[in-house]
Amino acid sequence: MGVREVRSGRYNRLVNKEQLRSLLTAVAQNGLPIDEALEQLRRLPFEQLSFATVDHHRALRCGHGEVIFCQGKTVEQVVEIARRLSEQGAEVLCTRASADQLVALATAFPESEINPIGRAAIVRKIKLGKESNLAGPSVGLVCAGTADLPVLEEAEMTLRSMKIPFSRICDVGVSGLHRLLSHLETLQSCCAIVVIAGMEGALPSVVGGLVGCPVFAVPTSVGYGASFGGLAALLGMLNSCASNVSVLNIDNGFGGAYSAALVQQQVRRFAAT
């Protein structure tokens, strides 16, 4: 982004470090009046709508832009929030989206990536393929059974939106432990692992005992009546004897992946210094 683009108002809000750096450079080189720069900075933190306060500052604070939690919102609200965020040039992750919301997002933003199984979407300006050359070590995504795939898909969409490389391992629950052990080399090469399991929730403890990295355990609501909608798996994971296991809320694939992504970003940052 050059001085001319800053002057034109094309970037009327600054949503990432690169845009902010360009603005400061324009000021430092006397290409942009200080008062004009202050006006742009004044609008930086958020945008007030009648039904939402859109946070344009989150990428600067946290390294990742605001994520739209679609559940409980109308189709129109989801699309409008996505439009306001994407207008600033950012990709927008939408989670817990209904079928109607996903259809509306795909219609409004044709280049978006839609994941019906994970109930998620990534709103973007340019259509991208599967990233294969992302930097740094991988985050492991492991699920116990095929029934846990919706949560794993949400986790994968989160990592893809954050540009984090990942290794995906599915259907390796403790009822057939040999399936997991065949992936031991991959697991031990990861910098963090998200383990997703329902039923009794034993898989994170097993994985935790095999690796030397943080394990983020995500209980799912998969199971028969005594699983109490994932509560049995949650309590089992909270009582894990593996010291490197931390536990997320039930079905929270987004939270597990986000936490693992922050680990990967820190590992990559320290490796570069």
Side-chain angles (χ1 to χ4, degrees):
M1 180 173 69
V3 172
R4 185 174 300 173
E5 289 172 311
V6 175
R7 281 183 176 278
S8 71
R10 177 181 172 188
Y11 295 91
N12 62 337
R13 288 186 183 82
L14 305 161
V15 298
N16 58 46
K17 292 180 180 178
E18 289 71 26
Q19 292 177 10
L20 183 58
R21 185 178 292 110
S22 294
L23 175 68
L24 296 177
T25 299
V27 173
Q29 295 176 348
N30 298 319
L32 185 71
I34 291 177
D35 288 343
E36 193 172 330
L38 286 173
E39 178 62 21
Q40 294 193 39
L41 288 171
R42 184 184 66 80
R43 297 193 299 268
L44 174 62
F46 59 86
E47 180 178 7
Q48 187 67 62
L49 307 179
S50 62
F51 53 85
T53 303
V54 182
D55 187 355
H56 294 293
H57 201 179
R58 195 166 303 182
L60 286 172
R61 298 195 314 271
C62 305
H64 188 273
E66 182 173 12
V67 176
I68 303 174
F69 180 76
C70 299
Q71 187 175 320
K73 296 180 175 67
T74 67
V75 170
E76 293 76 16
Q77 288 170 344
V78 169
V79 171
E80 184 61 20
I81 294 171
R83 178 174 289 110
R84 297 302 179 106
L85 289 168
S86 64
E87 280 176 352
Q88 311 310 317
E91 290 188 358
V92 185
L93 174 64
C94 307
T95 65
R96 295 302 172 91
S98 67
D100 289 343
Q101 289 168 338
L102 291 176
V103 169
L105 288 169
T107 302
F109 309 100
E111 304 304 327
S112 296
E113 181 178 349
I114 306 297
N115 188 322
I117 297 176
R119 296 181 294 170
I122 300 174
V123 173
R124 52 168 60 109
K125 296 292 186 181
I126 301 174
K127 196 171 188 65
L128 300 176
K130 296 283 185 180
E131 293 89 349
S132 59
N133 58 347
L134 301 178
S138 293
V139 166
L141 289 181
V142 181
C143 73
T146 303
D148 301 309
L149 275 177
V151 179
L152 183 140
E153 293 282 350
E154 180 182 82
E156 177 178 329
M157 290 290 280
T158 302
L159 294 179
R160 286 174 58 73
S161 76
M162 299 177 75
K163 304 298 185 293
I164 302 295
F166 59 88
S167 299
R168 173 173 164 148
I169 302 173
C170 300
D171 196 20
V172 290
V174 297
S175 61
L177 200 55
H178 60 292
R179 299 174 298 175
L180 176 69
L181 296 178
S182 69
H183 297 281
L184 188 57
E185 183 177 353
T186 299
L187 292 170
Q188 292 181 339
S189 69
C190 293
C191 63
I193 302 173
V194 182
V195 182
I196 299 161
M199 298 293 190
E200 81 290 355
L203 186 60
S205 292
V206 175
V207 173
L210 296 172
V211 301
C213 66
V215 173
F216 297 98
V218 181
T220 72
S221 51
V222 172
Y224 290 99
S227 71
F228 297 106
L231 184 59
L234 172 65
L235 294 177
M237 292 176 183
L238 286 171
N239 285 283
S240 173
C241 60
S243 304
N244 54 342
V245 174
S246 299
V247 185
L248 281 296
N249 208 341
I250 298 170
D251 291 334
N252 189 8
F254 164 76
Y258 194 100
S259 298
L262 294 180
V263 172
Q264 198 271 356
Q265 289 174 348
Q266 290 297 319
V267 169
R268 192 171 60 196
R269 184 175 295 114
F270 282 116
T273 58

